[in-house]
Amino acid sequence: MTELAELPAAPGAARTQGRPRSSRAHEAILEAVLDLLEEGVTVEALSMEAIAARAGVGKATIYRRWAGKDELLLETLIKLKGPPTQPLGDSVRADLIRLLSVVGQKDERAVRVMPCLMPEVSRSPEAYRIWQEAITEPRREVMREVLRRGVATGELRADLDLEVTVTMLISPLLLHRMVRWNPRLDEVDDLPEQIVDVVLRGVTA
Amino acid sequence: MTELAELPAAPGAARTQGRPRSSRAHEAILEAVLDLLEEGVTVEALSMEAIAARAGVGKATIYRRWAGKDELLLETLIKLKGPPTQPLGDSVRADLIRLLSVVGQKDERAVRVMPCLMPEVSRSPEAYRIWQEAITEPRREVMREVLRRGVATGELRADLDLEVTVTMLISPLLLHRMVRWNPRLDEVDDLPEQIVDVVLRGVTA
Amino acid sequence: MTELAELPAAPGAARTQGRPRSSRAHEAILEAVLDLLEEGVTVEALSMEAIAARAGVGKATIYRRWAGKDELLLETLIKLKGPPTQPLGDSVRADLIRLLSVVGQKDERAVRVMPCLMPEVSRSPEAYRIWQEAITEPRREVMREVLRRGVATGELRADLDLEVTVTMLISPLLLHRMVRWNPRLDEVDDLPEQIVDVVLRGVTA
Amino acid sequence: MTELAELPAAPGAARTQGRPRSSRAHEAILEAVLDLLEEGVTVEALSMEAIAARAGVGKATIYRRWAGKDELLLETLIKLKGPPTQPLGDSVRADLIRLLSVVGQKDERAVRVMPCLMPEVSRSPEAYRIWQEAITEPRREVMREVLRRGVATGELRADLDLEVTVTMLISPLLLHRMVRWNPRLDEVDDLPEQIVDVVLRGVTA
DNA sequence: TGATAAGCGAGACGGTACGTCTGGTCTTGTA
DNA sequence: TACAAGACCAGACGTACCGTCTCGCTTATCA
């Protein structure tokens, strides 16, 4: 997915001449961002200058790959989140609970980065596209697949709207982990179960 | 709610001597922010200098009232959103649909501002507090009240968890309006109804 | 002469509103340049960043006063050179020798700065104007006055061309001190006397 | 004179192995500099990248031949100026006037380049050496020869100091053409004659 | 009524980071 | 080995804002 964020090297050109881009530099930059986040640097306090310095890289080397801080952070987030969790193929209920349980729980840094990308994602169509393709859509698809299985077995209603259902399942968790939208949910320790149960009962055949 | 964002003028002091703060300036500043947003200025492109210039006000006059751009934007958002929509007292279902239908629909500018406050809200406890008290909590409370009515009439289960239910109702709409989390929902035109129906069926007595 | 290099604060405006420019900062900047030169920093290695850092001043504070490095250096040079040496009113010959003897001899730093301003002076009409008004013209005028005295006493030809004569007197010294145009003159220890004698013999009545 | 500026290919080595340096590239680089100057590009706006691009040459190919921009410009200046004007062998006076008349008059670009080399020449002993050997010294020598003829014929004083005299003759013209040191000389149209006459009268036997 | 205290618009202040550019070097593939 | 291309590290450039600090003024309250 890395190349999603890459700037086109030359619109319709060969891109084979000259010294090739150093993958060493590429990795070093992403590592530098992760390191700095690890050390507790606020996302908004992350400066391109600090990243370049930490990575031992010239600033131009960063701008050659990403159009700005947001694009770089976006790719960092993608790297941070990795591929979506896979269902185990147990019951539909168990799989959904499993999928919801890991929302925003794998890496603390991802939870810090995500809200900071909301401004960019809501403004730039390009950032939105990358975010969708690399982060949200793959996770929705995994969950859709589980739901489709439920429909196939007759466990779930045949006229179920997959998109609505998926969104209803994930949104509460996402909003809670990302910005703690409803602080009273802090005390609910089986939130994924509760959500899955309500939705399943609502969409059972 | 406006005064939530106000800096304490002087911790334990009289605050009556000297020239009082000009409410004219106060209004002019908020108006300036709204004007600039209206004109299509990106939230992140909004600079204190531009706001001050537009309001015909010195920068210090802004900082005397708000601690920074985020606090100012937060108050702007509060002003923009106004008091929460009230239920009409019809059926529980109709009231819930009504409440969900207005999420992020009243003023286009609010939808643009909100994602930009997520970084601040997720970082600063103070901003989080204001955001909760002035924006999210009042809206949750309105919805809780409707649900309580349903419980009282026996229409809804008695052991219903209000917080979970409220969050399940609002989150999908909020996330969709704010950052269009699932673009396929664009084509669903009765989203509030569908959500309410699934949840109600899931929590019916 | 300092204000020659100043940018107009506002073309035709009052320039009395707002916080006034800090003369402390102004001095600190010029001092910083001199300090750095003193420490042996090459003129072309002088960076605005280093100057700002050394002066304890923001870069904008420099750019508010000077349009660029060259203008700043020009004013530094003016400060460095100070007012022109005055003749003692002895014989015309003695006065001219005295004036020529100090060309490029007062401060070693001025001799290092001057060649570095040649590119700017030869390109920018504004820099040229300042350089002429503040540096070269005052020195020519002092020398013209001595020559006029010689004409008045009948010692020098009445049809003497002051400009040509002044230029003939100063140019060899200037070029020698500035870029050591003819290195063999290093061994001539009475260069001012020789030049004055040749020119005086050439223009005696 | 070109090879003055060349870097030693390998201190005491054969320099015959491998692909020989392309004289095509060498010429193309110098031509590129001249072209860009012709087009009005400021000397300080001349970048190595622009030169390389214009010459259709890699930057390394430039650095393989010259140590930096200044050395390249210096060689360009040498090429631009060509060999010194030769005296016609007329009278000493006529020859001197002829020599002075061409100072800075042959190619407009040379006059623009020269002031820009002053910083380098005044700082780098190596640049100074090349400048002296290839530009200033040959021109002084031509003029010395004319003066020696005058001494031989008894027209000029036998104890004449050739270096002082040569410097006195050329400096005013040089400084005027290069940086217009005294703008009032713009109106003097027989400057070479006047200078020669004053100096000759001053050094006549 | 006059002193005093705080607020006002304006804009300079010390900083920090931005994104761009250039310098001089290095690394490809090709000749 | 040189070449064209172009990426590399480094760091200065000039700009834009940040949040604070003077200015000279205005506008209140309190003596």
Side-chain angles (χ1 to χ4, degrees), chain A residues 6 15 19-29 56-57 61 64-66:
Chain A
E6 291 260 2
R15 270 302 301 120
R19 179 173 173 176
R21 299 240 175 113
S22 155
S23 62
R24 223 195 106 285
H26 196 101
E27 293 308 318
I29 293 164
V57 140
T61 300
R64 213 172 280 123
R65 289 169 166 73
W66 297 278

Side-chain angles (χ1 to χ4, degrees), chain B residues 29-155:
Chain B
I29 294 164
L30 290 173
E31 277 314 314
V33 176
L34 292 175
D35 280 8
L36 290 167
L37 287 175
E38 190 80 277
E39 292 169 16
V41 176
T42 319
V43 175
E44 71 172 16
L46 258 189
S47 68
M48 295 303 256
E49 316 227 311
I51 295 167
R54 168 63 64 107
V57 139
K59 282 202 290 174
T61 301
I62 302 183
Y63 284 104
R64 214 172 279 122
R65 291 166 165 75
W66 296 279
K69 178 156 52 176
D70 295 312
E71 301 238 2
L72 170 55
L73 273 178
L74 197 43
E75 180 159 341
T76 305
L77 179 61
I78 293 169
K79 173 167 184 169
L80 217 40
K81 296 199 73 87
T85 302
Q86 292 300 318
L88 297 177
D90 303 338
S91 68
V92 167
R93 181 173 181 275
D95 274 351
L96 292 178
I97 289 172
R98 175 175 153 80
L99 293 181
L100 290 194
S101 297
V102 298
V103 169
Q105 299 284 48
K106 283 191 195 156
D107 192 314
E108 177 263 342
R109 289 169 298 182
V111 173
R112 274 163 58 211
V113 170
M114 224 182 321
C116 297
L117 287 172
M118 294 302 97
E120 171 73 352
V121 156
S122 70
R123 176 171 27 84
S124 149
E126 177 59 10
Y128 179 73
R129 190 186 60 75
I130 297 173
W131 180 62
Q132 285 293 323
E133 289 186 17
I135 300 193
T136 71
E137 178 55 22
R139 284 161 174 78
R140 282 194 299 266
E141 184 50 27
V142 166
M143 195 163 282
R144 269 187 218 110
E145 202 45 49
V146 174
L147 292 174
R148 280 193 203 104
R149 223 177 59 215
V151 171
T153 63
E155 194 175 346

Side-chain angles (χ1 to χ4, degrees), chain C residues 164, chain D residues 100 172-173 176-177 185 188-196:
Chain C
V164 172
Chain D
L100 289 194
L173 263 308
H176 184 59
R177 305 288 191 222
L185 293 186
V188 177
D189 57 351
D190 59 346
L191 190 54
E193 284 90 334
Q194 291 205 33
I195 289 170
V196 168

